[in-house]
Amino acid sequence: MIKVFGHTAPDTDSTGSPIIWAWYLNEVRKTPAQAVLQGEPNTEALWMLKRWNLDKPQIIADVAAGDQCVIVDTNNPAELPASLDQAEVIEIIDHHLLAGGIKTRTPINITVRPLACTATIMYDLMEADMARAPEAIKGAMLTCILSDTLEFRSPTTTAHDRAVAEKLAADLGINITDYATEMFAAKSDISAFSDETLLRTDSKEYELGGKQLRITVLETTAPQVLLARKAALLAAMPRVAAEDGADEVLCFVVDILREEATLLIPNDFVRRLAERSFGVAVTGDSVVLPGVMSRKKQIIPVLAL
């Protein structure tokens, strides 16, 4: 049984894409496969599962020797199971930069394309068989694309991502604006999350100048709810960094509707980093970054010490 999984702290794409590809392997390629997750899905991903009556995949802590694995929505070893080198990776499908470090036992299929969403790539790979896909699979694809593109607001969005989403929405009889509003409302519901959990939600590890950073992006249509917890989040950052082996936590609250990010400033290091990276003057414990929405395209590439 092939295990299909994405990165740790699974967002919508890393929850939906394993389900989509496992369906394809099982139903089209007639190869037994199972979608699994590396952690609890975020609120938007859980909403997607409920909306399309999809079972939540099993959560795994690691893989074992002999396991066959398909990796989706990442190729970064820091976001993958600790024992991956003992398993057999047979395929990677991703839309992120090549991180390096994954070793395989045999040649494998690798599909990495400069698109906004893994589900868009999967649509292309599956296009000849999309007529066989049930509504739930098409719905998961649409949700992943709208999530990763922030309903086409993110600068990572391509014309192809948009065209695929519009085709899926037409097939499903869905109004994209209304559907995305429901999605983002679910994403914005963080009432049940602790401060530490929030700082690990949609979070990536990144090394910069010898510093290990945890870069968290919290996308919301209700930024005031998150910013009301600013003092508690700032206080939790040193604990999360210490527990996760990071030097600093960078937390960006992305306002989807205003198309801007607020970076929380816990200390002088992050203040200097913000000023050098984004060309802003920081005078308090947060700074607004107009137009910044994408970690992949507008945050990580510009970080500078």
Side-chain angles (χ1 to χ4, degrees):
M1 179 77 71
I2 298 170
K3 288 183 169 67
V4 187
F5 51 83
H7 53 72
T8 54
D11 56 9
T12 301
D13 196 21
S14 249
T15 301
S17 287
I19 293 172
I20 294 163
W21 201 247
W23 173 85
Y24 180 65
L25 292 176
N26 281 307
E27 300 300 325
V28 178
R29 293 190 182 176
K30 304 301 180 183
T31 303
Q34 175 190 15
V36 296
L37 301 176
Q38 291 194 85
E40 190 69 25
N42 68 14
T43 52
E44 183 184 75
L46 288 171
W47 177 88
M48 172 187 68
L49 296 177
K50 183 177 181 180
R51 171 64 175 79
W52 296 104
N53 196 27
L54 293 163
D55 292 334
K56 185 173 77 173
Q58 175 188 351
I59 296 175
I60 61 170
D62 205 349
V63 293
D67 283 348
Q68 289 191 310
C69 305
V70 174
I71 299 169
V72 302
D73 197 32
T74 186
N75 67 87
N76 185 349
E79 300 176 341
L80 292 167
S83 302
L84 186 68
D85 60 346
Q86 298 177 32
E88 182 184 356
V89 177
I90 61 174
E91 188 166 18
I92 298 173
I93 306 171
D94 191 20
H95 66 120
H96 294 94
L97 58 80
L98 286 174
I102 296 176
K103 294 184 179 180
T104 63
R105 301 177 184 277
T106 60
I108 69 170
N109 289 318
I110 301 178
T111 308
V112 179
R113 295 179 181 172
L115 294 168
C117 183
T118 307
T120 307
I121 301 171
M122 290 181 174
Y123 181 93
D124 292 344
L125 296 175
M126 297 163 54
E127 188 167 12
D129 299 290
M130 279 303 299
R132 300 169 58 178
E135 283 197 348
I137 293 300
K138 293 180 180 179
M141 279 185 166
L142 175 62
T143 312
C144 291
I145 297 169
L146 293 178
S147 177
D148 269 9
T149 65
L150 297 178
E151 195 193 354
F152 316 132
R153 294 177 177 87
S154 171
T156 62
T157 307
T158 70
H160 187 54
D161 290 293
R162 184 168 193 142
V164 170
E166 290 174 346
K167 174 67 167 59
L168 290 166
D171 288 349
L172 293 164
I174 283 176
N175 178 284
I176 285 178
T177 299
D178 292 344
Y179 186 78
T181 298
E182 290 187 63
M183 285 174 50
F184 297 150
K187 179 180 286 191
S188 300
D189 181 9
I190 48 86
S191 56
F193 291 162
S194 68
D195 301 312
E196 289 80 4
T197 299
L198 280 173
L199 292 172
R200 294 184 174 103
T201 298
D202 198 359
S203 187
K204 304 278 188 181
E205 297 178 20
Y206 183 69
E207 190 273 333
L208 179 69
K211 294 283 189 180
Q212 294 297 323
L213 306 178
R214 176 173 284 285
I215 304 175
T216 299
V217 174
L218 302 175
E219 298 162 344
T220 179
T221 54
Q224 67 278 5
V225 175
L226 280 164
L227 294 175
R229 295 173 60 172
K230 180 169 61 173
L233 289 169
L234 289 166
M237 286 181 179
R239 295 195 299 274
V240 170
E243 291 171 6
D244 295 359
D247 292 296
E248 296 289 347
V249 175
L250 306 183
C251 181
F252 297 80
V253 177
V254 171
D255 185 332
I256 296 171
L257 300 181
R258 292 179 63 88
E259 300 187 19
E260 64 184 21
T262 299
L263 171 60
L264 305 190
I265 309 293
N267 53 41
D268 283 343
F269 174 85
V270 177
R271 177 185 59 77
R272 291 193 302 270
L273 180 69
E275 291 179 341
R276 292 171 183 169
S277 303
F278 300 102
V280 293
V282 180
T283 57
D285 58 9
S286 64
V287 62
V288 175
L289 307 173
V292 173
M293 302 182 75
S294 169
R295 173 174 43 214
K296 182 169 63 175
K297 201 162 188 175
Q298 296 173 302
I299 294 175
I300 287 179
V302 304
L303 291 180
L305 296 176

